[in-house]
Amino acid sequence: MRFSKPAWVTHQDTPDQKRVTLYSCHVHPDGSRLATGGLDAKIRIWSTLPILNDAAEKADVPKKLCTLSMHSGPVLCVRWSSSGKWLASGSDDAIVMIWDLDPAGAGRVWGSDDANVEGWKALKRLPGHDSDVTDLAWSPKDRFLASVGLDNKVIIWCGYTLEPLRKLDLHQGFVKGVCWDPVGEFLATQSDDKSVKVWRTTDWGLEATITKPFEDSPGSTFFRRLSWSPDGAHITASNAMNNNGYVFVAAVIARNEWTSDICLVGHENTVEVASYNPHIFLRDPKGDVQSANICSVVALGADDLSVSIWQTKSPRPLIVARDCFESQIFDLSWSKDGLTLYGCSADGSLGVFDFDPAELDGIVSLEEKELYLKRFGFQPPPDPFAMGVQRPQASYQQPGNPYAGQGHPPTPPSAAAQAAAAAAMDPGPAFDKKGRKRIRPVFVGALNSAPGAFPTSSAPAPFGGAAPPAPGAPQPVPPHSQPQAPPPTTQQAYPAYGQQAPAVGFGSRPPPADPRFSHPSNEFDRHPSSSYPPTSQQPPYGGYGEHHYDVDGDRMMGGYTNGMAPPKRKLSEMEDDSSALNGGFRAPKARTLGGDRPRDPIGPVRELRPAMQGFGYPPPSMKIKLDVPPLLSYLSVKSEEREGDVFEAKNPEPSQDPSKRSEPFEVALLRNKETVFLDYPSAPVLSLAVTSAFCAAGLEGGSLNVYSPNGRRLLPTIALDSSCTFLAGSKNSLMAITASGKLHVWNVKTQKASFAPVSLDTLITPNATITSAVVRPNGCPIITLSSGIVYSYDIDLACFTKLSEARWAQGSDVWEGRQRERATKAPISRGPVATMECELPGEMQDSASPTPYWRAAFTLGHLEAKLHAAEVLDSPQEYKTALLAYARRLADEGYRAKAEELIKELFGPLYWKPGKEETWCPTVLGMQKRDLLRDVLPTFAKSKTLAKLGQDWQDTLRRALSE
């Protein structure tokens, strides 16, 4: 085995920059490309030839093939499809992107000196998650794509149309790992709710929930990436614990029983990722491929900076590579030949473990593996998407483009297909309800429904090798030293548009030739991109089942007529549109206030009155501290909690003719451009707020109307002392700041004020004005001033407190605003504390510190402020993250007194029992303080200065929890 770390595989734009964290890596099925995703919000694709071959690395061989930069946040996961045609990426921006190869897309990277050797372009953008996308997985044959994220959701996408099929939302914590059963029967996910859930792919129901090995697992890991063994018998899950949380293990979960009686023990810190070798191995290489004679190879990456590789026939690992990275390992990926393991780390480096075939003895070919998996007897349902649904294509793949001929040429339509097209053009007479003839419109797209009307593009050729020849073209004669896979036949190719799909059984697509049995003819052929046989020309299958399913789980119509797919409709809409049984009359449709009114187009927005300063409502005798917003002819606000909801207001211009009545003021809620309700307030509308629970309109003069999402008035009209300058809402909380400088917060659900109105006199000065004001779901206001300070009102302290300030940027090493690119993101995409800091104007100060203790004091003070802010803003995950960072800083600096004080605060009274001691609260933000202490103590135990302190308190905590 040879271990290497190519220094040039990095996400640094310039050599003098600090290495950027690599969150994910994945090798292409043909072994010629490697994709990495990092903190810099970019994806980079590398050639593996110079990585695996020293001579190629020194030669003039392209190393970096492409740089992709359409994500607006760190890229947390990259995954190639099984066919190698597409690359999927998930990011901190809550978006899944699908990338496809553009044969003419190579060229210089915009805004950089880099040049792309290959032109990978964004094929489709898949929105659906409400927070970071942490992991992705393609199902066998690429029928589905699964994505998981920090919104606690699992979304299943059709692998053919890339449309959302199902949203699984039974997890109660961040979902950080996903993997597919190689048989195709199950899907497994792992979450911070300390469970692994197994889902059936036939109906997407929950098969099992496994919690036993994970009750004591820490929540501090960035990922919980799990993997399914290639023989389908086991799942190896990361971040498991034994002995009440003091032994770090990886749990091996048995299929069907869904229990974990076996654990992989040896790592000294939490396991982040597990990755199985794609091949089955024989215990006895001379024996047959039988259940009793097979085993698997799995690699584990952990926070103890080590990688271990296990073979399931042995109780001890094959290899333990310690200190191969300088920080925790985030992702592992095996090559398809099973001889190379890639790993990436938070230190920004890539590690490569390259094995000789003799070191992994008993490897089974992929053909034999497919035959073995057939023994499970699982047959997926027929694929409805093969019957007339076109795979998404980028503009460079559309018919007529000279570069679109990467796949098979279209098949000429058969006589039966031509007859079907002619029948589609002449569907026969049609009659209405009264028996009269009517003309039936014909969709001209049916003319193109003949088979082969749309070409399909194939997987990209291995980098450095020739593209696969088209069917019917003369086949090149392979060298004797390089056995090639047989050319694809018409039965292996994916059916053309409108043709019958082949049987969807396992083994229907021949796997590529096994490169282990090739005999290299030169030094570049050990892992050359050109020596790998081309990937199969058969693109992945789509999703299955008889109906479409949208993200919310509503059933959609799935039938097709003349090769055309009708628009998606929910089942409720189909029922509303059905006819009554007696006489065929339609049932009356429910109405909404204003729903049947034609909506007038929105003209140009005019300013009817500019913003007022120093006077307004009430009379000028009262001191007005804040500007009254301008009066506009039209204003609207989109809901961040319910997609498609827009709350709008119209203020008509006053009539110049006294004899004519002026048009009324109007507010309306639109859902997907349809009116849900409307109302006519008594005064012009100055400000709006909308959430999933209510809509609010601030009127000129100080009145405030609050409506339900269906238009009911949830509260009586509120009369404030002046007009609203700021109006904001979140969940059930509504906040208003009036022009007189009064802060109000209400809970609309309970119809009560969160606290008495508070004056902002202590905050507002001539040099400090309010730049933004929002409210958290718990009713906590967040007020940002132009001076770079963020305030909130603490009900318990009955005063304003500083949540953050820009001055921390002058010396803090954990200032959030300088660790990531500033990107426009909704607060839900990241925590409220991080969002708050990114909006502050503070910038990093790289100048020398005024005193030796400047940076330490600023960093510790900043972390303590973040802890208080996370508690006030009700953000448990950020609280835990800041607490662990705070503990690491104390350990690095060796501040024993501070560390011991923190330990005692989290531990509480030594002999505390529930209900015995009321002065100490055992929880913070719903988390047990002693559970947090269990995550903190290993940091102190590893410190040179605080090792004894951490170890002593670990023993104390262990005894306290066992009593």
Side-chain angles (χ1 to χ4, degrees), residues 246-292:
Y246 291 97
V247 177
F248 302 99
V249 300
V252 181
I253 302 169
R255 186 191 186 97
N256 295 329
E257 288 83 7
W258 308 122
T259 56
S260 177
D261 299 326
I262 302 174
C263 293
L264 305 181
V265 186
H267 282 284
E268 299 176 358
N269 208 329
T270 50
V271 178
E272 289 263 2
V273 56
S275 179
Y276 270 98
N277 190 301
H279 285 265
I280 295 174
F281 292 80
L282 296 179
R283 296 173 181 267
D284 180 8
K286 299 180 181 179
D288 297 329
V289 184
Q290 301 292 336
S291 299

Coordinates of all heavy atoms in Angstrom, one line a residue, residues 246-292:
Y246 N -18.1 6.4 26.4 CA -16.7 6.6 26.6 C -15.8 5.8 25.7 O -14.6 5.8 25.8 CB -16.3 6.3 28.1 CG -16.9 7.3 29.0 CD1 -18.1 7.1 29.7 CD2 -16.3 8.6 29.2 CE1 -18.7 8.0 30.5 CE2 -16.9 9.5 30.0 CZ -18.0 9.3 30.7 OH -18.6 10.2 31.5
V247 N -16.4 5.0 24.8 CA -15.7 4.3 23.8 C -16.3 4.6 22.4 O -17.5 4.4 22.2 CB -15.8 2.8 24.0 CG1 -15.0 2.0 22.9 CG2 -15.2 2.4 25.4
F248 N -15.4 5.2 21.6 CA -15.9 5.6 20.2 C -15.8 4.4 19.3 O -14.8 3.7 19.2 CB -15.0 6.7 19.7 CG -14.9 7.9 20.6 CD1 -13.9 8.1 21.5 CD2 -15.9 8.9 20.6 CE1 -13.8 9.2 22.3 CE2 -15.9 10.0 21.4 CZ -14.8 10.2 22.3
V249 N -16.9 4.1 18.6 CA -17.0 3.0 17.8 C -17.8 3.3 16.5 O -18.5 4.4 16.4 CB -17.7 1.8 18.5 CG1 -17.0 1.4 19.7 CG2 -19.2 2.1 18.8
A250 N -17.8 2.4 15.5 CA -18.7 2.4 14.4 C -19.6 1.2 14.5 O -19.1 0.1 14.8 CB -17.9 2.4 13.1
A251 N -20.9 1.4 14.4 CA -21.8 0.4 14.6 C -22.1 -0.4 13.3 O -22.3 0.3 12.3 CB -23.1 0.9 15.2
V252 N -22.1 -1.7 13.4 CA -22.5 -2.6 12.2 C -23.9 -3.1 12.4 O -24.1 -3.8 13.4 CB -21.5 -3.7 12.1 CG1 -21.8 -4.6 10.8 CG2 -20.0 -3.2 11.9
I253 N -24.8 -2.7 11.6 CA -26.2 -3.0 11.7 C -26.6 -4.1 10.7 O -26.3 -4.0 9.5 CB -27.1 -1.7 11.4 CG1 -26.7 -0.6 12.4 CG2 -28.6 -2.0 11.5 CD1 -27.3 0.7 12.1
A254 N -27.2 -5.2 11.2 CA -27.5 -6.3 10.4 C -28.8 -6.0 9.6 O -29.8 -5.5 10.1 CB -27.7 -7.6 11.2
R255 N -28.9 -6.5 8.4 CA -30.1 -6.4 7.5 C -31.2 -7.2 8.1 O -31.0 -8.3 8.6 CB -29.7 -6.8 6.1 CG -30.8 -6.5 5.1 CD -30.5 -7.2 3.7 NE -31.5 -6.9 2.7 CZ -31.3 -6.0 1.8 NH1 -30.2 -5.2 1.8 NH2 -32.2 -5.7 0.9
N256 N -32.4 -6.7 7.9 CA -33.7 -7.3 8.3 C -33.9 -7.4 9.8 O -34.9 -7.0 10.3 CB -33.8 -8.8 7.8 CG -33.8 -8.8 6.2 OD1 -34.3 -7.9 5.6 ND2 -33.3 -9.8 5.6
E257 N -32.8 -7.8 10.6 CA -33.0 -7.7 12.1 C -32.9 -6.3 12.5 O -33.5 -5.9 13.6 CB -32.0 -8.6 12.8 CG -32.2 -10.1 12.6 CD -31.6 -10.6 11.3 OE1 -31.0 -9.8 10.6 OE2 -31.9 -11.8 11.0
W258 N -32.1 -5.5 11.9 CA -31.9 -4.0 12.2 C -31.4 -3.9 13.6 O -31.9 -3.0 14.3 CB -33.1 -3.2 11.9 CG -33.7 -3.4 10.5 CD1 -35.0 -3.9 10.3 CD2 -33.1 -3.2 9.3 NE1 -35.2 -4.0 8.9 CE2 -34.0 -3.6 8.3 CE3 -31.8 -2.8 8.9 CZ2 -33.7 -3.5 6.9 CZ3 -31.5 -2.7 7.5 CH2 -32.5 -3.1 6.6
T259 N -30.5 -4.7 14.0 CA -29.8 -4.6 15.3 C -28.3 -4.5 15.1 O -27.8 -4.9 14.1 CB -30.2 -5.8 16.2 OG1 -29.7 -7.0 15.5 CG2 -31.7 -5.8 16.5
S260 N -27.7 -3.9 16.1 CA -26.2 -3.8 16.0 C -25.6 -4.5 17.2 O -25.5 -4.0 18.3 CB -25.9 -2.3 16.1 OG -24.5 -2.1 16.1
D261 N -25.1 -5.7 16.9 CA -24.4 -6.5 17.9 C -22.9 -6.5 17.7 O -22.1 -7.1 18.5 CB -24.9 -8.0 17.9 CG -26.4 -8.1 18.2 OD1 -26.9 -7.3 19.0 OD2 -27.1 -8.9 17.6
I262 N -22.5 -5.9 16.6 CA -21.0 -5.8 16.3 C -20.6 -4.4 16.2 O -21.3 -3.6 15.6 CB -20.7 -6.6 15.0 CG1 -21.2 -8.0 15.1 CG2 -19.2 -6.5 14.6 CD1 -21.0 -8.8 13.8
C263 N -19.5 -4.0 16.7 CA -18.9 -2.7 16.6 C -17.5 -2.7 16.3 O -16.8 -3.7 16.6 CB -19.1 -1.9 18.0 SG -20.8 -1.6 18.4
L264 N -17.0 -1.7 15.5 CA -15.6 -1.6 15.2 C -15.0 -0.6 16.1 O -15.3 0.6 16.1 CB -15.5 -1.1 13.7 CG -16.2 -1.9 12.7 CD1 -16.0 -1.3 11.3 CD2 -15.8 -3.4 12.7
V265 N -14.1 -1.2 17.0 CA -13.6 -0.4 18.2 C -12.1 -0.1 17.9 O -11.4 -0.9 17.3 CB -13.7 -1.2 19.5 CG1 -13.3 -0.4 20.7 CG2 -15.2 -1.7 19.6
G266 N -11.7 1.1 18.3 CA -10.2 1.4 18.2 C -9.9 2.9 18.1 O -8.9 3.3 18.5
H267 N -10.9 3.6 17.5 CA -10.6 5.1 17.3 C -10.7 5.8 18.7 O -11.5 5.4 19.5 CB -11.6 5.7 16.3 CG -11.2 5.4 14.9 ND1 -10.2 6.0 14.2 CD2 -11.8 4.4 14.0 CE1 -10.1 5.5 13.0 NE2 -11.0 4.6 12.8
E268 N -9.9 6.8 18.8 CA -9.9 7.6 20.1 C -10.8 8.8 20.1 O -10.8 9.6 21.0 CB -8.4 8.0 20.4 CG -7.5 6.8 20.5 CD -6.0 7.2 20.7 OE1 -5.8 8.4 20.7 OE2 -5.2 6.3 20.9
N269 N -11.5 9.0 19.0 CA -12.5 10.1 18.9 C -13.6 9.7 18.0 O -13.5 8.6 17.4 CB -11.8 11.4 18.5 CG -12.5 12.7 19.0 OD1 -13.7 12.7 19.2 ND2 -11.7 13.7 19.2
T270 N -14.6 10.5 17.9 CA -15.8 10.2 17.1 C -15.5 9.8 15.7 O -14.6 10.5 15.0 CB -16.8 11.3 17.2 OG1 -16.2 12.5 16.8 CG2 -17.4 11.4 18.5
V271 N -16.2 8.8 15.1 CA -16.0 8.4 13.7 C -17.0 9.3 12.9 O -18.2 9.4 13.2 CB -16.4 7.0 13.5 CG1 -16.3 6.6 12.1 CG2 -15.4 6.1 14.4
E272 N -16.4 10.0 11.9 CA -17.2 10.9 11.1 C -17.8 10.2 9.8 O -18.9 10.6 9.4 CB -16.4 12.1 10.6 CG -16.0 13.1 11.6 CD -16.9 14.3 11.6 OE1 -17.8 14.3 10.9 OE2 -16.6 15.2 12.5
V273 N -17.1 9.3 9.3 CA -17.5 8.8 8.0 C -17.1 7.3 7.9 O -16.1 6.9 8.4 CB -16.9 9.6 6.8 CG1 -15.4 9.6 6.9 CG2 -17.3 9.0 5.4
A274 N -18.0 6.5 7.2 CA -17.7 5.1 6.9 C -17.9 4.9 5.4 O -18.9 5.5 4.8 CB -18.6 4.2 7.7
S275 N -17.1 4.2 4.8 CA -17.2 4.0 3.3 C -16.8 2.5 3.0 O -15.6 2.1 3.2 CB -16.3 5.0 2.6 OG -16.4 4.8 1.2
Y276 N -17.7 1.8 2.4 CA -17.4 0.4 2.0 C -16.7 0.4 0.6 O -17.1 1.1 -0.3 CB -18.7 -0.4 1.9 CG -19.0 -1.1 3.2 CD1 -20.0 -0.6 4.1 CD2 -18.4 -2.3 3.6 CE1 -20.3 -1.2 5.3 CE2 -18.8 -2.9 4.7 CZ -19.7 -2.4 5.6 OH -20.0 -3.0 6.8
N277 N -15.8 -0.6 0.4 CA -15.2 -0.9 -0.9 C -16.4 -1.5 -1.7 O -17.2 -2.3 -1.3 CB -14.1 -1.9 -0.7 CG -13.3 -2.2 -2.0 OD1 -13.9 -2.5 -3.0 ND2 -12.0 -1.9 -1.9
P278 N -16.5 -1.0 -3.0 CA -17.6 -1.5 -3.8 C -17.6 -3.0 -4.2 O -18.6 -3.5 -4.7 CB -17.5 -0.6 -5.1 CG -16.1 -0.2 -5.1 CD -15.6 -0.1 -3.7
H279 N -16.5 -3.7 -3.9 CA -16.4 -5.1 -4.3 C -16.7 -6.0 -3.1 O -16.4 -5.6 -1.9 CB -15.0 -5.4 -4.8 CG -14.7 -4.9 -6.2 ND1 -14.9 -5.6 -7.3 CD2 -14.4 -3.6 -6.6 CE1 -14.6 -4.9 -8.4 NE2 -14.3 -3.7 -8.0
I280 N -17.2 -7.2 -3.4 CA -17.3 -8.3 -2.4 C -15.9 -9.0 -2.5 O -15.3 -9.1 -3.5 CB -18.4 -9.2 -2.8 CG1 -19.8 -8.5 -2.7 CG2 -18.4 -10.4 -1.9 CD1 -20.9 -9.3 -3.1
F281 N -15.5 -9.5 -1.3 CA -14.3 -10.3 -1.2 C -14.6 -11.7 -0.7 O -15.6 -11.9 0.1 CB -13.3 -9.6 -0.2 CG -12.8 -8.3 -0.7 CD1 -13.5 -7.1 -0.6 CD2 -11.5 -8.2 -1.3 CE1 -13.0 -5.9 -1.1 CE2 -11.0 -7.0 -1.8 CZ -11.8 -5.9 -1.7
L282 N -13.7 -12.6 -1.1 CA -13.9 -14.0 -0.7 C -13.0 -14.3 0.5 O -11.8 -13.9 0.5 CB -13.5 -15.0 -1.8 CG -14.4 -14.9 -3.1 CD1 -13.9 -15.9 -4.1 CD2 -15.9 -15.2 -2.7
R283 N -13.6 -15.0 1.5 CA -12.7 -15.4 2.7 C -11.7 -16.4 2.2 O -10.5 -16.3 2.6 CB -13.6 -16.0 3.8 CG -14.6 -15.0 4.4 CD -15.6 -15.7 5.3 NE -16.5 -14.8 5.9 CZ -16.4 -14.1 7.0 NH1 -15.3 -14.3 7.7 NH2 -17.3 -13.3 7.5
D284 N -12.1 -17.3 1.4 CA -11.2 -18.3 0.8 C -11.2 -18.0 -0.7 O -12.2 -18.3 -1.4 CB -11.7 -19.7 1.1 CG -10.8 -20.8 0.4 OD1 -9.7 -20.4 -0.1 OD2 -11.2 -22.0 0.4
P285 N -10.1 -17.4 -1.2 CA -10.1 -17.1 -2.6 C -10.3 -18.2 -3.6 O -10.7 -18.0 -4.7 CB -8.7 -16.5 -2.8 CG -8.3 -16.1 -1.4 CD -8.9 -17.1 -0.5
K286 N -10.1 -19.5 -3.1 CA -10.3 -20.6 -4.0 C -11.8 -21.1 -3.9 O -12.2 -22.0 -4.7 CB -9.4 -21.7 -3.6 CG -7.9 -21.4 -3.7 CD -7.0 -22.5 -3.3 CE -5.6 -22.1 -3.4 NZ -4.7 -23.3 -2.9
G287 N -12.6 -20.6 -3.0 CA -14.0 -21.0 -2.9 C -14.9 -20.3 -3.8 O -14.5 -19.4 -4.6
D288 N -16.2 -20.7 -3.7 CA -17.2 -20.1 -4.6 C -17.8 -18.8 -3.9 O -17.6 -18.6 -2.7 CB -18.4 -21.1 -4.8 CG -17.9 -22.3 -5.6 OD1 -16.9 -22.1 -6.4 OD2 -18.4 -23.4 -5.4
V289 N -18.6 -18.1 -4.6 CA -19.2 -16.9 -4.1 C -20.5 -17.3 -3.4 O -21.6 -17.3 -4.0 CB -19.5 -15.8 -5.2 CG1 -20.1 -14.6 -4.7 CG2 -18.3 -15.5 -6.0
Q290 N -20.4 -17.7 -2.2 CA -21.5 -18.1 -1.3 C -21.5 -17.2 -0.1 O -20.5 -16.6 0.3 CB -21.3 -19.6 -0.9 CG -21.2 -20.6 -2.0 CD -22.5 -20.7 -2.8 OE1 -23.6 -20.4 -2.2 NE2 -22.5 -21.1 -4.1
S291 N -22.7 -17.2 0.6 CA -22.9 -16.3 1.7 C -21.8 -16.6 2.8 O -21.4 -15.6 3.5 CB -24.3 -16.5 2.3 OG -25.2 -16.1 1.3
A292 N -21.5 -17.8 3.0 CA -20.6 -18.2 4.1 C -19.1 -17.9 3.7 O -18.2 -17.9 4.6 CB -20.7 -19.7 4.4

